[in-house]
Structures are given as structure tokens and as C-alpha cells.
Amino acid sequence: MLLTITTTHNPATDLGYLLHKNPSRLQTFEQTFGSAHVFYPAVSAEKCTAALLLEVDPIGLVRGKREQRTLEQYVNDRPFVASSFLSVAIGQIFRSAMSGKSESHHELAETEIPLEAKISVLHCRGGEDFLRQLFEPLGYEIEAQNYQLDEQFPEWGASNYFTVTLTATKKLRDLLTHLYVLIPVLDNEKHYFVGDEEVEKLLRRGEGWLAAHPMREIIARRYLKNRHSLAREALSRLMQEEITELADLKSESLEEVLEKTISLNEQRYQAVMTALKSVDAKRIVDVGCGEGKLLRHLLAEKSFTEIVGLDVSHRALEIAAEKLRLERLPDFQRERIKLLHGSLTYRDARLAGYDAACAVEVIEHLDAARLSAFERVLFEFARPKTVVVTTPNSEYNAKFENLPAGKFRHADHRFEWTRIEFQNWANKVSEKFAYSVNFESVGEVDEHLGSPTQMAVFQDKI
Ligand code: SAH
């Protein structure tokens, strides 16, 4: 398993100072899993490459262990793929570089320089799409060369093994940190016990980028080896802001609220994403985008070529821009997304002509009297081919023990509808504006009460 890091920042040989490893000699470090070698296959002022080669010894790993042996412990892909062993090696061998420490080249350590990391090979559970969803939001250009399962049997198809090249202009410490956190996430197999200290590690290494990453939930979950209580803790600390809001609900213990909310929110966005992908939408407008949670998901999906978020709240848009780190997105990502200030109750030419519009948990914030204006603005004037609307199902409120009967889930809600009320509204809208409509449940479905969120997907019939 080989990782190479190349820079063309002149003089490129400074890479040796940043990594604290002398380019003129080979160094070997004994590790618990085998050995790691650092050497420089290319050294010049124009271009310098450092290599970290891991020799994983699968037999050494099981030696002395009491548990029952399986063939897989001896014969496996560990020696060949980048796994959490690579993170361990980066953490030890490039510790100072990853912390951004360099006595002699402090300024360079804080400078973004052209970098290329090549990993041979990565086992991407989740495939190339997942790989892209992890690294693209961080501004990397990705080249992934895939391998067939067996060249002699092409009909077996592609494997999940890739040689991956990541290119970006970044601080070296950021590149190392991203690799350190995300490689085990891709591999999804950890070879050591995951305890509380891993949460601290994730938070420390995730500082400044993980909270805003569209895949932060999956990253935390997989990094913490699907130990849900730990992942929850990490996420809760990452999302202090959101928790403060949730704490206002006071209805259940914070943890329970958080767990449910994360999964319901997440399921809602996933349901919307699935609906958008199934109609092959490319240009999407998220109306009432709020702080941009759906936008974050949309950005991570490369098939969406143009993404627009609209909201009436300036503050929400400011937060969205901050959370999405719009300022820092690379040009090719920055060009895909636009935030607009505007109200859904006034006709707006900027909304016309999109493949799809989403209104996620928005209609219940509109006064009943303004709802008909919203219907015309969206279905008559903007007229996207597809419209996805979600709203709470008020029947399900009976399951929220501490929500008094007749109360809404949120103080700003003007109404909450039963399934029939929502369907009546959606059917009426479809008829009036020549759309067809289908309904879906989002979240756990109660036999009598339905699901916590209800969703309607409208299709233009014209
Ligand atoms: N869709 C987001 C936010 C839902 S909260 C999410 O899923 O997280 C409802 C949002 O609708 C708020 O951000 C609010 O500012 C916005 N909103 C309410 N009335 C609006 C109007 N008339 N025009 C545009 N946005 C509106």
C-alpha cells in the first residue's frame, strides 16, 4: 500500500521540511501492524514527491491472539489497501506535519500549496460516488482508476478497488488530516478498539471542516465504527448550534431528541434526494432553503448541475453561506450554487424554468391566506417539471409524549395537517395547475398514525 504526496510549489524540496523527513534518505518505522517506509522517488526544485509505503503483516497481526482463527485473518486485502493502518502511520510518522508544526518553515506550513496525493489502492465501500461525495466538498479534484474483480472474467464486473489521485491547493496539514479521517471511513473497517478517545480524535481532526461537510453524519458513524452512541456524541458536539435549538423542545432527553431528529431530518433529505434523482432532475431550486441543510446534500451529488437556494430570511441565508463555506469552494463547485433572497409569496422570474423545486418543511410556515399566493408563484409562474413538498403529519404528533394535544411542533408553524388534509390540498393544487401527484411517507410509519413527515411529489403534466 503506497501513498505519495507531490508538490510543485517552488522550491518543491521544502516538502521535506514540512514533513520533517529528509529527502536524501530512506527511513523505516516499525509499526504494530508491520513496517512503514518513507522515501522520496522524485526530488527537484520544480517537483518533489514523498512516498509512504506500508508493509502490513497480516500474519503478525493475528499472532498471539486467542480468538478463533479464520482463513480471512491470514488471507485478506489488508497488505494492499489503504485502511486505518494508513491513518495510524500518518498520525505517527507525519504527526508534526499534520499539526501544522514546522519550526524552520512555519509560514509555508500555513500556506496553501499545490498538492497531489495518490493512493494505491483504496477500497471504497460505497464505490466511486461515495469517494467523490467525501472529497469533492473539500475542494479536491479526483481521479479514480477502477480495477476489475478479475481481468480474466470481465463479466464479473468492477471491484471497489481504486487507485485514487486527489489534487488541490491546500495546506499540507489539511491534506493529511482529510486523509487521516476519511480513509478509514472509505474502508469502513477499523482494526483497533474504538473508544471514547476516538470521539476526541475525530473532533480534533475534524475541526474547521467536518461540521460543514455534507456527509458529516456518515463520516462520524463510520469513523466511530458504527458505535452509535459515540457517533451521536460526536455529532452533537459538532452541531452545538442545532442542539441549542433542539433543547428548546425540552420534551425528551436531549440525546433522544437528537437521535430522532438527526435520523428524521436525514431521512427527509434522503427521500427528497431520491425523488429528485428518480426524475433525473439536474437544475434544482430549494425554496425556503433555510440554513441550507438540503443544499449541502444537493451539492454533494454531482448529477445536480445547478442549485439555487431561496429564502425570505437574510440571516438564514448568511448562515447557509457560512455553513456551506461558499467563499472557500473551488470555482467549479462555487459556480453550481446560488443563494437568492426572496419571498415565495411574490412572483419571481428568477425561479422560472428549473427541473425541480423542493419546499422542505416550508408550507406550514406560511399563513393560510398566503398559501394560495405560494401555489401560484410556484406551480403557475415558476412551473418546475417536478415539485417536492414535505410537511409534518399532525396525526403523528400523538406519539410525541410531551407535546400537548393541539400544539404544533414548532412555534412558527401556522398549521399542521393530517394526511387527508395534505392530500386534499395537494390534489386540489395538481388539478388546478395541471400536475399529477404521488404521496410518500418519510420516517417510521405507525400503523394508525402514519409517518412523522409526509411528502408529495408533483409532476408537470403539460
Ligand atoms: N427547508 C429548510 C428550512 C425549513 S424552515 C430545511 O429543511 O431545513 C422554513 C423556512 O422557510 C425558513 O427558513 C423560512 O425563513 C422560510 N420561509 C418562510 N416563509 C417564507 C417565504 N414567504 N418565502 C421564502 N421563504 C420563507
Side-chain angles (χ1 to χ4, degrees):
M1 142 53 226
L2 179 68
L3 164 71
T4 60
I5 297 176
T6 302
T7 186
T8 50
H9 174 83
N10 202 310
T13 42
D14 281 351
L15 185 61
Y17 293 106
L18 292 181
L19 288 172
H20 297 246
K21 296 288 171 281
N22 187 337
S24 64
R25 58 192 182 96
L26 162 75
Q27 295 184 57
T28 297
F29 303 85
E30 288 316 315
Q31 303 281 306
T32 49
F33 52 80
S35 41
H37 311 281
V38 178
F39 57 96
Y40 288 73
V43 183
S44 73
E46 290 72 43
K47 185 172 168 181
C48 183
T49 300
L52 173 62
L53 176 77
L54 299 194
E55 281 187 292
V56 176
D57 172 12
I59 296 172
L61 281 173
V62 285
R63 197 177 293 136
K65 290 215 172 130
R66 285 176 179 219
E67 69 214 47
Q68 210 185 350
R69 309 274 165 86
T70 61
L71 182 60
E72 208 206 337
Q73 287 177 313
Y74 294 98
V75 183
N76 54 46
D77 64 4
R78 298 296 95 186
F80 313 106
V81 301
S83 63
S84 53
F85 294 140
L86 177 62
S87 297
V88 172
I90 292 176
Q92 289 178 2
I93 299 167
F94 296 144
R95 173 181 297 273
S96 308
M98 190 160 58
S99 312
K101 286 189 202 136
S102 172
E103 271 162 32
S104 58
H105 287 68
H106 182 68
E107 214 170 290
L108 187 60
E110 287 305 316
T111 306
E112 297 191 340
I113 57 175
L115 289 169
E116 182 194 283
K118 186 168 177 182
I119 308 149
S120 320
V121 297
L122 256 177
H123 185 196
C124 303
R125 284 174 213 256
E128 186 177 336
D129 281 350
F130 186 54
L131 171 76
R132 289 186 180 280
Q133 286 167 0
L134 288 185
F135 284 98
E136 276 177 354
L138 298 168
Y140 290 94
E141 268 182 50
I142 299 163
E143 211 185 291
Q145 183 200 342
N146 182 234
Y147 297 97
Q148 290 187 325
L149 274 173
D150 191 320
E151 287 185 353
Q152 296 192 348
F153 299 99
E155 65 276 18
W156 289 6
S159 71
N160 270 337
Y161 293 96
F162 296 84
T163 294
V164 175
T165 310
L166 303 168
T167 316
T169 299
K170 287 217 171 298
K171 294 175 194 163
L172 177 64
R173 69 171 153 101
D174 289 339
L175 169 70
L176 291 173
T177 307
H178 295 152
L179 295 175
Y180 177 92
V181 173
L182 296 179
I183 283 174
V185 168
L186 276 162
D187 186 49
N188 203 21
E189 223 175 83
K190 278 217 169 198
H191 307 285
Y192 47 86
F193 175 72
V194 175
D196 293 346
E197 72 283 4
E198 293 293 314
V199 173
E200 303 304 325
K201 234 188 252 174
L202 178 63
L203 292 174
R204 196 167 71 244
R205 297 297 174 204
E207 204 182 322
W209 62 276
L210 186 54
H213 197 295
M215 305 290 278
R216 65 191 174 190
E217 271 118 35
I218 292 175
I219 294 172
R221 229 181 308 132
R222 283 207 184 182
Y223 186 89
L224 298 166
K225 207 182 173 185
N226 293 315
R227 294 260 323 259
H228 289 276
S229 59
L230 294 183
R232 241 177 1 245
E233 185 192 331
L235 285 167
S236 73
R237 286 171 56 189
L238 272 174
M239 298 191 286
Q240 284 302 346
E241 262 183 56
E242 279 152 78
I243 292 170
T244 326
E245 280 170 29
L246 292 170
D248 291 339
L249 289 172
K250 280 194 194 119
S251 50
E252 297 167 88
S253 87
L254 194 55
E255 192 174 75
E256 279 169 330
V257 172
L258 185 67
E259 181 179 25
K260 282 190 188 155
T261 308
I262 285 174
S263 60
L264 180 59
N265 263 334
E266 198 45 44
Q267 288 176 57
R268 199 183 290 132
Y269 298 129
Q270 289 311 331
V272 174
M273 295 284 285
T274 306
L276 294 173
K277 281 194 253 175
S278 73
V279 294
D280 209 19
K282 303 238 175 306
R283 303 173 60 243
I284 320 260
V285 52
D286 180 17
V287 296
C289 63
E291 297 176 1
K293 291 180 200 147
L294 177 64
L295 296 175
R296 199 152 52 188
H297 286 72
L298 294 171
L299 257 183
E301 175 61 52
K302 62 178 188 295
S303 61
F304 302 141
T305 56
E306 198 182 326
I307 301 158
V308 175
L310 174 125
D311 206 284
V312 74
S313 155
H314 260 302
R315 182 69 196 129
L317 290 173
E318 266 171 27
I319 297 173
E322 236 164 72
K323 287 196 171 171
L324 295 164
R325 307 178 131 225
L326 288 192
E327 298 285 310
R328 298 205 218 155
L329 285 181
D331 288 349
F332 77 100
Q333 288 281 43
R334 185 67 193 84
E335 283 157 13
R336 288 171 64 213
I337 183 159
K338 202 161 52 182
L339 297 181
L340 300 177
H341 182 236
S343 172
L344 282 167
T345 49
Y346 295 94
R347 184 176 176 171
D348 189 334
R350 296 172 302 174
L351 298 182
Y354 282 86
D355 293 336
C358 319
V360 175
E361 308 294 283
V362 171
I363 54 171
E364 65 276 10
H365 291 267
L366 302 173
D367 283 330
R370 311 298 291 150
L371 196 60
S372 52
F374 161 82
E375 292 162 14
R376 293 196 66 195
V377 166
L378 196 60
F379 291 89
E380 184 176 335
F381 299 120
R383 205 160 180 93
K385 292 191 201 85
T386 302
V387 180
V388 182
V389 175
T390 77
T391 194
N393 162 20
S394 64
E395 292 164 82
Y396 196 89
N397 289 356
K399 303 249 301 184
F400 297 134
E401 277 171 19
N402 296 313
L403 189 67
K407 279 260 180 207
F408 295 147
R409 293 182 202 178
H410 191 288
D412 188 51
H413 285 179
R414 309 302 157 87
F415 57 85
E416 284 177 2
W417 280 335
T418 62
R419 284 169 290 176
I420 287 293
E421 284 169 326
F422 179 53
Q423 288 172 18
N424 284 345
W425 172 79
N427 285 326
K428 191 193 76 192
V429 166
S430 315
E431 217 166 282
K432 190 160 164 198
F433 300 103
Y435 278 76
S436 61
V437 63
N438 283 309
F439 299 96
E440 281 178 42
S441 310
V442 181
E444 178 222 19
V445 179
D446 178 277
E447 191 188 342
H448 305 292
L449 305 171
S451 58
T453 296
Q454 39 188 347
M455 180 165 100
V457 181
F458 300 83
Q459 291 293 345
D460 187 347
K461 284 206 291 197
I462 297 176

